[in-house]
Amino acid sequence: MADHTQTNLITLSRHVLAEQRAHKDATGDLTLLLVSIQLGCKFVATCVRKAGIVNLTGLAGDTNVQGEDQKKLDVLANEIFINSLRSSGKVAIMVSEEDEDVIIVSAKDRDPAGHAYAVVFDPLDGSSNIEAGVSIGTIFGIYKVAPGSTGTAKDVLRAGRDMVCAGYCMYGSSTSLVLSTGNGSVSGYTLDTTIGEFILTHPNIRIPARGKIYSINEGNSVYWDSACTEYFSSLKTRTVDGKPAPYSARYVGSMVADVHRTILYGGIFAYPADKKSAHGKLRVLYECFPMAFLVENAGGRATTGTQRILDMVPMAIHQRSPIFLGSRDDVADLEACYAKHANGAAKEQ
Ligand code: AFP
């Protein structure tokens, strides 16, 4: 019988080190930082797997900065990432969804040599899905701290295009980590729990130029603006060669899962601003920017409807934004619809 055991695995660390060697100016600092992110993801993946058994589901009894009830796993994942990132010695400042203020890393925990980074993250996104066993995830983005800065909010209140790396880890039927360091390259890794390593399983991810799936909380449609209503209605009533050819609807309600599917299968994911949430729901720094960075590097687009997401400059660390992202052609159609409505071609409903 043939032995199918792969003996020359490309682990995430091996892959990142190889990319580092290809850049003559690389210092290895980002590679070290990514080791601490990997550790955080593996630790959280383990906690998510055993949550129902060891009483980690349910509320922690507090609310976070967004006024949302904190789950025990939210609190645990936050501590895991803060500790892991701090221990890398490469982080000067962090922003977490769970903490109202920026987290400054003290000088004793910083490596004085090399680069310092600012890391923005949502330690456990989609946590209202935890008890149902639905996929949830960690989202992160990384900036280089400005030369001379010891790490202040200014280091993160910058355009998303300034990020040097972004990614997410999805805790689903398997644990998948998707990462980009820019330059049009996105890679996907799957955790092999038997050896405790993320293995490169999805090299050079490219999002299809057009998809057949839309992903939005349609229960909010009564609150949508006219452009959003027209666009999503057009996906359901479209025809090809005179025959109905509607898009399929898929909505998990967990951004990591919905964006992961959108990147792999194509289509459009949206959380718009509406009459109920004037600025949308999702947070610019640690939800919109990292996902937009990944989607653009995979060949897709991400917009507020009227502005490229990565060109936004947030004024506050927990600022929200509307977002539409996905396949290049689908998002271009959505942008055209918003432009048409802005030009007054259609009346606000
Ligand atoms: P929770 O972390 O409270 O579950 O929110 C998840 C989330 O931030 C994002 O992951 C989803 O895309 C979005 O909210 C879902 O929001 P709706 O439940 O309003 O559709």
Side-chain angles (χ1 to χ4, degrees), residues 140-178:
F140 58 90
I142 303 174
Y143 291 97
K144 236 181 224 173
V145 163
S149 168
T150 51
T152 71
K154 275 194 194 150
D155 289 304
V156 291
L157 296 177
R158 292 152 66 182
R161 60 173 184 272
D162 289 351
M163 282 185 172
V164 293
C165 176
Y168 61 78
C169 186
M170 186 176 74
Y171 312 107
S173 51
S174 58
T175 300
S176 309
L177 200 152
V178 175

Side-chain angles (χ1 to χ4, degrees), residues 264-277:
L264 294 183
Y265 299 171
I268 186 163
F269 165 82
Y271 208 108
D274 62 26
K275 294 186 183 81
K276 200 172 59 158
S277 319

Side-chain angles (χ1 to χ4, degrees), residues 125-128 217 251 253-255 269 271 281-283 287:
D125 188 62
S127 54
S128 63
N217 185 341
Y251 189 70
S254 193
M255 188 188 197
F269 165 82
Y271 208 108
K281 176 181 181 188
L282 302 179
R283 278 54 62 115
E287 292 180 311

